Amino acid sequence: MMMLIIGGALISFVRPEVYRVLPIDVERSKQIGKMAQPCAASVLEWVPETLYNSAITAVVASYSKHRKELRCLTENIQFDVYYKLYTQGRLCQLGLEFCELDIFAKVLTVSDKRHLLHHCFQALMDHGVKVATVLAEAYSTYAQIRYSHRVQLDKAIQLGFSLGGFLTEAGWYPQAEKATEACLALCSQSEDIKYLRKSLECCIRLVYVRNANCKYQSSEETYRRALRTADKLMARNSVVNLAAVHGEMCALLYARSQYDEAHKHCVQALESLHSGMPIKSSIDILRQSSKACVAKRRFKKAEILITHAVQLAREYFGVRHPKYSDALLDYGFYLLNVDSICQSVTVYQQALDIRLSVFGGRNIHVAVAHEDLAYASYVHQYSSGKFDDAKMHAERAIEIITHILPEDHLLLASSKRVKALILEEIAIDSQDKVCEAKLLQEAQDLHLSSLSLAKKAFGEFNVQTAKHYGNLGRLYQSMHRYKEAELMHIKAIEIKERLLGEEDYEVALSVGHLASLYNYDMMRYTEAESLYLRSIEIGKKLFGPGYSGLEYDYRGLIRLYSSLNHYDKVFEFQEILSNWMTLREINRNPDDILEYITNSRAEESVEEVLKKFFKLE
């Protein structure tokens, strides 16, 4: 029990959930106690929570006078006081507290209210209080001390893990990197096995945060350091978390579009994965490995991994936790790539809703969710021409990223690309020629900016760069710059074929776009026919006869054969298109996917899931 006299009342904090307010007059207190005895049990159970909240409000009312006295209270009670400051909009006072490393270290120990801490933290950042930077710099200074006692060193390292982990979870990657680097320096003060293990964990976390912040070169260097540390541990017969090491390298290689190598590391990570690993690490490995399988078009394997990741995240963290939203975003990615477009929009929307509820508006996690939903909505509404929602999400993503990160940050490349795609379609449908020209010019500026960022990060010979070339090809076609469009499409196809093979989905996409250019604008029908048929063959092989992308190839061929007066072919593909439309109706209802992600449970262990995974060809 802890007591504090505030405003003439003795506030007795029995535990974070229950407290009593007792006047200084003890006799009067006894009378009140007797009067309370006849109350119904249900009322007695309800009153303490209300009284506790009232006490917190009383403390906050005289907060300035008793600020230092409050620090003797337990961490849970201190947190509730700070959260009350947040709910009352007293952000300057809250910022003064949270900018003190010792205080924030205590707040971080209240693990069951982490989502509320994110609310407070994001509000401070939005208010202009640079609490993330202040804390990262304070810890960096704190970590420069050479600790002679192991207890002090362990405490400092644990704080680094906690602070760096929170900042990563909150999406403040530069500050998370600074704190984690400082923590790694502390871990490196000793070559004991205990500290080598901590060093390895620090390296894994540092690779994660650098990958998230698109710092791929420094991420690879840290991965190499992780391998050296792992070798030292294995040389001393120590157990090493190789699954996490390979998992982060898989993420790095995937981000660079090195899909073959990413898949190899995904397999290595899964071979080392077991149910005894930390659940967050297991979920992240399953998620990332699923994306690597999608990139290699091994959809059955991807489905096994991502569905288990979603189930684990929901059961261990709940449906309002950021880790669950992480799993949902990757599940939406899987659905989009297996052509379950309507369902992917539903899943992306749920992930965005979770991130908005946890982080609020101006957060990098929210921006990423907006961008993913923007692209899925664009694909979903492509045939209808209703792009308002997609445009809103794309613009919101760009607005958040430019507010938080430098204007040349790589994360802007994909957001700008998505907005440019949307603007191009809106321009094409516009009846106002002036408006159309303005929108197309804006789209070109966005595409060129995205291409420049991609080439700077990845070079010419990369799938991401090829995608930007392909996007420019489509745009130049809309702008009636047909020769330039042809050049862009050919560049895209050559790069994709060399990197992904001749029968990849990305290749089919670019081949279909070149066919459209030849068919609709350059009257090169023979070449267009061959390209259409090739695109159809790849699409049906990968996704089956109901693949959404087939519509545009079928309609293109109908138009092409009409131009050539080949009416037997026109009738043939009109019937094929009609059959395709019937197949598509089966895949339009998102309710099944909502029911699935809400009700499915992880009934299998990680080992059982992996056994199924490795059984598949």
Side-chain angles (χ1 to χ4, degrees):
M1 180 185 296
M2 301 189 69
M3 296 185 179
L4 196 64
I5 298 177
I6 297 180
L10 179 65
I11 300 181
S12 173
F13 293 92
V14 182
R15 59 180 184 271
E17 300 83 8
V18 179
Y19 87 100
R20 294 167 295 178
V21 177
L22 301 174
I24 300 298
D25 185 344
V26 178
E27 291 303 318
R28 178 60 178 159
S29 171
K30 291 178 180 178
Q31 293 176 19
I32 293 174
K34 290 177 181 178
M35 292 168 61
Q37 288 177 359
C39 294
S42 60
V43 175
L44 286 174
E45 291 172 0
W46 176 80
V47 168
E49 178 63 27
T50 302
L51 291 174
Y52 179 74
N53 289 338
S54 300
I56 293 296
T57 301
V59 169
V60 171
S62 56
Y63 171 79
S64 298
K65 294 180 181 178
H66 304 285
R67 177 188 173 197
K68 292 183 179 179
E69 297 170 69
L70 295 173
R71 298 183 184 184
C72 67
L73 300 175
T74 65
E75 288 84 356
N76 271 285
I77 296 174
Q78 284 189 66
F79 181 91
D80 290 342
V81 171
Y82 297 142
Y83 191 72
K84 180 64 74 172
L85 287 174
Y86 157 72
T87 60
Q88 292 185 0
R90 296 163 67 174
L91 298 180
C92 291
Q93 289 175 314
L94 180 62
L96 286 174
E97 297 294 339
F98 276 15
C99 282
E100 291 192 29
L101 185 60
D102 289 344
I103 291 176
F104 199 75
K106 288 185 177 181
V107 169
L108 286 172
T109 65
V110 187
S111 58
D112 62 329
K113 298 176 182 177
R114 182 57 64 94
H115 64 295
L116 300 180
L117 178 56
H118 282 303
H119 295 172
C120 299
F121 202 87
Q122 185 65 46
L124 291 175
M125 295 297 290
D126 289 343
H127 192 62
V129 181
K130 297 182 179 181
V131 59
T133 301
V134 171
L135 289 171
E137 291 179 350
Y139 179 75
S140 183
T141 301
Y142 174 68
Q144 290 175 10
I145 301 171
R146 186 78 185 182
Y147 293 96
S148 56
H149 298 290
R150 292 296 171 89
V151 173
Q152 294 175 322
L153 178 59
D154 290 346
K155 181 181 177 182
I157 290 172
Q158 185 54 50
L159 176 56
F161 280 135
S162 298
L163 179 61
F166 172 79
L167 292 172
T168 300
E169 187 180 289
W172 302 103
Y173 297 132
Q175 297 88 346
E177 180 180 7
K178 188 177 186 68
T180 309
E181 281 180 328
C183 186
L184 179 57
L186 282 176
C187 295
S188 303
Q189 289 187 14
S190 172
E191 286 288 310
D192 288 355
I193 287 182
K194 171 182 176 181
Y195 295 103
L196 283 174
R197 287 176 179 166
K198 291 179 183 292
S199 292
L200 179 59
E201 176 62 24
C202 248
C203 286
I204 293 170
R205 293 185 180 211
L206 200 50
V207 173
Y208 180 94
V209 73
R210 285 173 169 167
N211 282 342
N213 201 28
C214 305
K215 297 180 69 172
Y216 301 128
Q217 184 59 46
S218 56
S219 177
E220 184 173 358
E221 292 169 3
T222 308
Y223 165 74
R224 301 297 174 198
R225 179 170 179 174
L227 286 182
R228 293 194 297 270
T229 306
D231 287 342
K232 290 180 182 179
L233 285 166
M234 288 187 288
R236 295 162 73 170
N237 298 317
S238 179
V239 177
V240 174
N241 184 5
L242 286 175
V245 176
H246 289 302
E248 293 307 327
M249 190 56 181
C250 170
L252 170 60
L253 292 165
Y254 176 87
R256 287 175 162 174
S257 303
Q258 296 172 247
Y259 298 136
D260 288 338
E261 291 300 313
H263 186 263
K264 288 178 184 177
H265 280 273
C266 131
V267 171
Q268 289 177 300
L270 294 172
E271 286 173 343
S272 302
L273 185 61
H274 56 83
S275 55
M277 288 184 59
I279 195 66
K280 275 190 177 182
S281 183
S282 296
I283 291 169
D284 287 340
I285 290 167
L286 290 169
R287 288 171 46 225
Q288 189 54 56
S289 297
S290 172
K291 290 178 74 174
C293 288
V294 167
K296 293 296 294 178
R297 311 305 173 196
R298 298 178 183 180
F299 297 120
K300 289 292 184 183
K301 288 192 169 189
E303 182 182 15
I304 290 171
L305 299 177
I306 192 56
T307 52
H308 195 62
V310 170
Q311 291 164 352
L312 287 178
R314 184 180 57 249
E315 290 187 20
Y316 280 87
F317 299 104
V319 296
R320 306 309 298 172
H321 195 279
K323 188 54 62 180
Y324 183 52
S325 75
D326 293 346
L328 286 180
L329 283 181
D330 290 330
Y331 189 39
F333 174 79
Y334 160 77
L335 290 169
L336 187 63
N337 277 272
V338 296
D339 205 38
S340 297
I341 300 166
C342 185
Q343 290 89 337
S344 76
V345 171
T346 301
V347 172
Y348 277 137
Q349 182 65 63
Q350 188 172 1
L352 174 61
D353 290 343
I354 294 170
R355 291 189 170 191
L356 282 169
S357 71
V358 174
F359 301 112
R362 287 184 169 179
N363 182 277
I364 202 67
H365 293 311
V366 174
V368 169
H370 273 300
E371 182 197 318
D372 287 344
L373 181 55
Y375 184 70
S377 299
Y378 159 77
V379 175
H380 180 51
Q381 297 295 343
Y382 188 84
S383 58
S384 72
K386 298 176 182 178
F387 298 111
D388 288 348
D389 286 347
K391 182 172 178 286
M392 179 272 290
H393 288 299
E395 289 177 339
R396 186 64 182 135
I398 293 171
E399 178 189 346
I400 295 170
I401 295 172
T402 52
H403 177 76
I404 296 172
L405 298 172
E407 62 181 13
D408 62 343
H409 198 281
L410 184 60
L411 279 177
L412 277 169
S414 53
S415 296
K416 288 182 175 182
R417 165 184 168 266
V418 173
K419 183 180 178 182
L421 292 171
I422 296 166
L423 291 180
E424 180 184 347
E425 296 306 318
I426 294 173
I428 293 171
D429 293 338
S430 175
Q431 301 300 315
D432 184 336
K433 293 299 180 183
V434 175
C435 179
E436 177 185 357
K438 183 178 178 182
L439 288 171
L440 291 175
Q441 183 60 51
E442 184 180 354
Q444 177 180 289
D445 293 342
L446 290 167
H447 275 318
L448 290 174
S449 175
S450 297
L451 175 62
S452 176
L453 290 170
K455 289 177 72 172
K456 181 180 177 181
F458 305 118
E460 176 82 2
F461 191 65
N462 184 274
V463 173
Q464 299 305 317
T465 305
K467 286 182 179 181
H468 294 304
Y469 280 133
N471 293 332
L472 276 170
R474 292 181 58 195
L475 177 66
Y476 289 150
Q477 182 179 357
S478 299
M479 299 173 81
H480 310 293
R481 295 158 61 177
Y482 303 131
K483 281 295 182 182
E484 292 172 272
E486 181 184 20
L487 178 62
M488 292 296 104
H489 286 314
I490 290 173
K491 266 191 175 185
I493 292 169
E494 288 176 348
I495 295 172
K496 289 178 180 181
E497 282 183 337
R498 185 173 169 188
L499 291 173
L500 304 173
E502 295 185 352
E503 295 188 346
D504 188 81
Y505 156 75
E506 283 290 340
V507 174
L509 207 59
S510 291
V511 164
H513 291 154
L514 182 57
S516 173
L517 174 67
Y518 287 162
N519 179 27
Y520 287 93
D521 298 300
M522 301 183 78
M523 315 311 168
R524 292 161 63 174
Y525 297 125
T526 302
E527 293 165 280
E529 179 186 25
S530 175
L531 291 169
Y532 276 133
L533 293 174
R534 180 184 173 193
S535 177
I536 290 169
E537 182 183 0
I538 297 171
K540 289 173 70 174
K541 182 177 180 180
L542 288 173
F543 305 111
Y547 168 49
S548 63
L550 295 173
E551 176 183 8
Y552 311 106
D553 292 336
Y554 291 150
R555 292 191 185 279
L557 282 172
I558 291 169
R559 194 263 185 191
L560 183 151
Y561 291 132
S562 295
S563 300
L564 295 174
N565 298 322
H566 292 175
Y567 295 113
D568 55 334
K569 286 289 187 179
V570 171
F571 297 142
E572 176 187 345
F573 277 92
Q574 282 177 337
E575 184 176 355
I576 290 172
L577 180 61
S578 177
N579 293 335
W580 172 88
M581 288 178 174
T582 302
L583 284 174
R584 288 300 297 171
E585 287 301 318
I586 301 171
N587 198 34
R588 289 192 182 278
N589 190 353
D591 294 340
D592 292 343
I593 208 68
L594 274 177
E595 183 179 351
Y596 170 75
I597 62 178
T598 302
N599 298 323
S600 66
R601 295 290 179 268
E603 297 176 352
E604 298 175 304
S605 67
V606 168
E607 286 79 5
E608 290 170 325
V609 169
L610 294 178
K611 187 176 180 180
K612 287 169 60 178
F613 174 88
F614 285 112
K615 271 188 177 180
L616 290 175
E617 292 297 329

